[in-house]
Amino acid sequence: MTPLGGCGDVGRNMTSFEIDGRILLVDAGVLFPDDSQPGVDLILPGLHLISDRLNDIEALILTHGHEDHIGAVPYLLRRRPNIPILGTRLTLALVRSKLKEHGIRNHDLREVADGEHVTLGGFACEFLPVNHSIPDAVAVVITTRGGTVLHSGDFKMDQLPLDKRLTDLRGFARAGEKGVDLMLVDSTNAETPGFTTSEIDVAPAMERVFAKASAKIIVACFSSHVHRVQQVLDLAHATRRKVCYVGRSMVRNMTIAAELGYLHVPGDTLIALDDLDRYPDDRVVIVSTGSQGEPLSALSRIAAKEHPVIEGCPGDVVLLASSLIPGNEMSVSRVINGLTRNGVKVVHKGNALVHVSGHACAGELLYVYNIVKPRNVMPVHGELRQLKANADLAIATGVEPRHVFVVEDGTVVDLRKGRVQVVGRLECGYIFVDGSTVGDITDAELEHRRILGEEGFISAIAAVNLHSMELVSEPQITARGFVEGDAVFDEIAAELSDALRAALADGAEDTHELQQLMRRRIGRWVSRTYRRRPMIVPVVIAT
């Protein structure tokens, strides 16, 4: 067994299990870049470690539908499209939509139900329902002739979940009675004492926000947080407000959740963004992406007074209904300060109980260890300090220290007849995604981007309508530390306009593809004209 991601980072979760030359993968997620990785869109797990073993892959199991567990699926299927993918109904629906966006249509998606048993070659798998901040999450028990592994996935033990779907502690106990040789356990909240607050406890604080707000309410949360959006919809309906989704992923995911019955939308509640100005501010709620301060998200643009439709005004309330992903603190602080400067009141987890975590705290982890009584433990899904804290909890419940393994990505772990040992280490570095380019960015290139230096910086922004396939806004090119005056870009701007129109006429549907086109054209022009290699950041906005 080898973790290909998730051991040392909060993200890009992926684990490889192998027996008799066949491989079973659990999860394939992405990690989002921080400020030290300019121009990077996503960071993938160690797919290069299995690139020469693709035909040996028996299947990929997905524990739930968060991006840090499914975001790398398209990049895996580009290498081998017919890998069987197993997951629950909502998880597969989100994956199916993602694959469609990437133009991957030849896929093998297999739905599994709570409690179902599936045999995949030498792997006998049982799927146990667990409670998390997205519906339909599961843990998986993997039994082989080498031993039995319980992989918790991301979970918590909310006793009053909004969807009434409890973590299957009886299933955990049954697995423990049969014997769990190795338990892989979510470590995200291992440093936090006690038990995770129930989702239902968020309601009073949210109700106070809705009761006191005299203008617009903007709720920023993860685009997959169906439970939180359900609470917003119910409160909006009760206070006679209309709800508008903002952000492509938010619209897509909530539409899928509603179609499958995981989200219940009160009648005559939803409105389109184009209809927002038909209603007074005190009668609308905007549900937006951008809770992590993403630079191009709707919330960041509102904070910077750059959103084409929504303006943050004095009297408005922004409710940040999310936890901070490590590394995003500065970005979120920048957004909060921008909103505050505009007179907007910001309610967040630090000043009100408007969000609870989807991960088990120390008390819940202790509870699970005592139920399962695993022979060996390997903490996963966390930074190194969180993995260590989780290990200490396992030891406190009686697992011998020599049977607890804190490892980093790429560590090869052998399970044989109930005994676990570390047998090797593979280099499992980051694979950076920049537009449609995968793996071409090196650490040296990132250093160059951070420094910029005498090569300078060029940004190019254009807007397109992917429905009518038209160029809405001509490319606007600006530079820093490169040349004096932006007029020098008039020639290449006209060339970019023609190239974008031609690509749209040819059926280009992906903004990443258009961005890469802009990057290549600008790069060639700069090299030819100035013999320089500035950092080029193209942005194509789909309207």
Side-chain angles (χ1 to χ4, degrees):
M1 183 208 71
T2 305
L4 304 181
C7 288
D9 293 306
V10 180
R12 67 178 200 137
N13 299 293
M14 189 175 194
T15 308
S16 170
F17 299 87
E18 180 177 351
I19 191 166
D20 298 330
R22 301 296 291 172
I23 295 172
L24 178 69
L25 301 174
V26 175
D27 290 328
V30 295
L31 174 69
F32 294 100
D34 57 33
D35 290 341
S36 69
Q37 296 154 333
V40 174
D41 296 321
L42 301 169
I43 303 171
L44 303 180
L47 299 181
H48 60 287
L49 296 180
I50 54 173
S51 60
D52 61 345
R53 303 284 309 278
L54 295 174
N55 290 329
D56 296 334
I57 298 174
E58 195 74 49
L60 165 65
I61 290 174
L62 300 175
T63 59
H64 63 281
H66 279 151
E67 284 295 306
D68 59 337
H69 291 258
I70 68 170
V73 171
Y75 301 94
L76 175 63
L77 293 195
R78 284 179 185 176
R79 303 174 184 222
R80 182 189 151 194
N82 63 343
I83 296 174
I85 300 177
L86 285 74
T88 52
R89 190 181 182 208
L90 178 60
T91 302
L92 292 188
L94 296 174
V95 169
R96 188 176 293 109
S97 175
K98 181 178 293 294
L99 295 179
K100 183 178 180 181
E101 285 188 0
H102 283 257
I104 299 174
R105 292 175 173 80
N106 180 26
H107 47 67
D108 181 5
L109 304 184
R110 305 179 185 180
E111 184 178 325
V112 295
D114 294 348
E116 186 171 348
H117 293 255
V118 176
T119 299
L120 302 162
F123 305 92
C125 303
E126 180 184 6
F127 298 88
L128 303 176
V130 295
N131 186 252
H132 189 40
S133 54
I134 187 173
D136 259 10
V138 293
V140 58
V141 181
I142 305 169
T143 302
T144 71
R145 63 180 181 82
T148 297
V149 177
L150 171 54
H151 192 311
S152 75
D154 284 351
F155 81 104
K156 61 178 178 177
M157 289 166 46
D158 192 339
Q159 299 304 296
L160 297 171
L162 297 178
D163 61 359
K164 312 300 182 186
R165 188 172 178 270
L166 294 164
T167 292
D168 188 3
L169 296 178
R170 288 184 297 178
F172 277 53
R174 285 196 304 272
E177 289 171 359
K178 293 178 182 178
V180 171
D181 298 304
L182 176 62
M183 188 171 182
L184 277 59
V185 190
D186 177 14
S187 305
T188 309
N189 272 354
E191 295 179 300
T192 306
F195 283 62
T196 305
T197 306
S198 175
E199 293 283 351
I200 202 170
D201 292 334
V202 172
M206 293 183 65
E207 289 170 0
R208 286 193 293 272
V209 170
F210 275 72
K212 293 180 180 180
S214 58
K216 291 192 298 293
I217 299 175
I218 303 173
V219 179
C221 64
F222 293 120
S223 61
S224 57
H225 206 328
V226 178
H227 298 148
R228 190 69 68 248
V229 174
Q230 184 68 69
Q231 289 175 308
V232 172
L233 287 168
D234 292 341
L235 281 170
H237 182 65
T239 55
R240 299 175 57 196
R241 287 179 180 257
K242 302 296 183 182
V243 175
C244 171
Y245 298 146
V246 178
R248 185 178 175 186
S249 60
M250 182 68 71
V251 173
R252 179 192 65 216
N253 291 350
M254 292 308 124
T255 299
I256 291 171
E259 289 174 349
L260 296 180
Y262 294 93
L263 183 72
H264 305 284
V265 182
D268 197 31
T269 298
L270 280 182
I271 60 173
L273 181 61
D274 293 341
D275 295 329
L276 198 60
D277 59 2
R278 294 174 49 197
Y279 299 89
D281 284 354
D282 62 351
R283 285 289 170 261
V284 297
V285 179
I286 297 164
V287 181
S288 167
T289 54
S291 62
Q292 298 302 307
E294 301 92 324
L296 296 180
S297 67
L299 190 64
S300 291
R301 295 166 70 193
I302 293 169
K305 296 186 176 181
E306 294 176 352
H307 197 280
V309 178
I310 304 168
E311 183 178 3
C313 303
D316 291 346
V317 177
V318 167
L319 194 159
L320 289 178
S322 66
S323 297
L324 271 178
I325 295 175
N328 292 340
E329 293 86 355
M330 290 184 63
S331 298
V332 173
S333 179
R334 184 165 53 245
V335 170
I336 292 175
N337 286 329
L339 292 167
T340 304
R341 187 176 299 112
N342 298 337
V344 177
K345 180 180 180 181
V346 183
V347 181
H348 54 84
K349 190 177 179 182
N351 58 27
L353 183 56
V354 291
H355 180 71
V356 296
S357 175
H359 302 269
C361 290
E364 292 152 280
L365 295 175
L366 291 170
Y367 197 99
V368 167
Y369 284 133
N370 283 326
I371 287 177
V372 177
K373 297 188 181 302
R375 297 186 178 94
N376 301 276
V377 169
M378 193 178 95
V380 293
H381 303 176
E383 297 180 348
L384 192 58
R385 60 187 176 82
Q386 295 164 326
L387 302 180
K388 179 60 169 61
N390 198 351
D392 291 341
L393 294 173
I395 293 169
T397 63
V399 182
E400 293 187 25
R402 61 192 177 92
H403 291 165
V404 179
F405 300 85
V406 176
V407 304
E408 295 185 80
D409 297 333
T411 303
V412 182
V413 178
D414 186 45
L415 169 61
R416 188 185 301 269
K417 295 182 179 179
R419 298 184 62 184
V420 174
Q421 60 180 342
V422 175
V423 295
R425 176 73 187 277
L426 303 173
E427 185 59 39
C428 188
Y430 284 174
I431 300 176
F432 297 109
V433 177
D434 184 352
S436 60
T437 300
V438 179
D440 289 349
I441 303 174
T442 63
D443 289 335
E445 173 65 19
L446 282 179
E447 182 66 18
H448 290 159
R449 290 186 177 191
R450 285 191 289 268
I451 296 173
L452 293 181
E454 56 187 34
E455 293 298 316
F457 172 95
I458 296 175
S459 66
I461 302 176
V464 300
N465 187 318
L466 293 180
H467 298 291
S468 62
M469 305 304 282
E470 295 177 340
L471 182 63
V472 176
S473 173
E474 302 285 336
Q476 302 295 313
I477 305 176
T478 57
R480 294 291 183 273
F482 179 68
V483 290
E484 293 184 8
D486 294 337
V488 298
F489 297 113
D490 289 349
E491 174 188 345
I492 186 62
E495 181 182 332
L496 284 178
S497 295
D498 293 339
L500 289 171
R501 289 192 177 95
L504 290 168
D506 288 341
E509 298 179 352
D510 189 350
T511 56
H512 288 317
E513 178 182 345
L514 298 175
Q515 287 171 177
Q516 288 300 98
L517 183 152
M518 292 174 67
R519 189 196 306 277
R520 289 192 298 270
R521 292 296 181 106
I522 295 173
R524 284 198 295 265
W525 177 81
V526 169
S527 178
R528 183 177 67 245
T529 308
Y530 293 95
R531 304 286 184 182
R532 294 175 66 176
R533 297 181 60 190
M535 175 182 173
I536 301 170
V537 180
V539 177
V540 175
I541 300 171
T543 62

